Amino acid sequence: MNHVTRCSPGEIDGSYRMDFTVSEHSARHVRRILRIYLTSWGLAGLAHAAELALTELVANVVRHVPGRACSVLILCRPEGLRVEVTDADPRPPHPVRGGDALAEDGRGLLLVEAVTDRWGCHPTSTGKTVWFEYDRPAGVPRPPVGEGGPGDGTPAAAPHPDPAWTATRR
């Protein structure tokens, strides 16, 4: 169950939720799912940046979460897009600033920060949820009622995050 977003069904234009056990090759599949939903919601212009951010969050699950299990939630809301990755590791993520310029890792969250409007982390009873958001681009209308996306999934609802747990806000 997702423990971060509280929205009534009328506040969600479309959603997708799936539990995964991820591997080094999973990001390609998750990106494709995200792109399909963004296109169906008229938000294809966000696809490149959102795919990059989601790839980084999935890579963090692969690298840091024992068992590599996670849940991905994609929400199309009136104000824009929200993507959440929930896992069982309670440790909050920390962007690495400075450090070794030649290091091959440690910059993923800086990329998420650079390509999203907002991102953060919220503890759950079983781990954490890391999320990012994009504002709805000007001139992009909400999808018509009943066109929530492929499969027209049922929206998920749960408590809203405490702003004090937001890791980074731009």
Side-chain angles (χ1 to χ4, degrees):
M1 176 180 206
N2 179 285
H3 299 278
V4 173
T5 303
R6 168 172 289 213
C7 292
S8 70
E11 295 173 331
I12 298 176
D13 294 330
S15 68
Y16 171 84
R17 182 178 184 278
M18 179 60 120
D19 296 326
F20 294 95
T21 299
V22 293
S23 71
E24 291 82 2
H25 306 288
S26 298
R28 175 175 52 112
H29 303 293
V30 177
R31 282 193 306 264
R32 182 170 182 260
I33 291 166
L34 178 62
R35 187 177 329 113
I36 288 168
Y37 276 88
L38 292 179
T39 299
S40 74
W41 294 329
L43 297 173
L46 297 177
H48 183 72
E51 288 174 25
L52 177 59
L54 181 57
T55 297
E56 292 302 328
L57 298 188
V58 169
N60 283 345
V61 172
V62 170
R63 287 186 188 111
H64 304 293
V65 177
R68 298 179 171 181
C70 69
S71 182
V72 174
L73 177 65
I74 306 168
L75 294 171
C76 179
R77 303 186 314 180
E79 61 274 11
L81 175 72
R82 181 177 177 105
V83 177
E84 301 178 357
V85 177
T86 301
D87 64 52
D89 185 350
R91 296 173 297 170
H94 297 285
V96 176
R97 301 194 190 278
D100 183 358
L102 299 177
E104 292 186 17
D105 60 3
R107 294 185 194 86
L109 292 173
L110 295 176
L111 285 172
V112 172
E113 182 177 310
V115 302
T116 63
D117 290 326
R118 288 165 298 284
W119 79 275
C121 179
H122 178 53
T124 68
S125 61
T126 59
K128 69 178 172 300
T129 296
V130 182
W131 54 267
F132 61 85
E133 294 179 331
Y134 292 95
D135 297 329
R136 182 174 298 279
V140 175
R142 292 176 62 181
V145 175
E147 294 185 24
D152 203 10
T154 303
H160 191 279
D162 177 348
W165 281 91
T166 300
T168 300
R169 293 189 67 104
R170 282 185 27 185

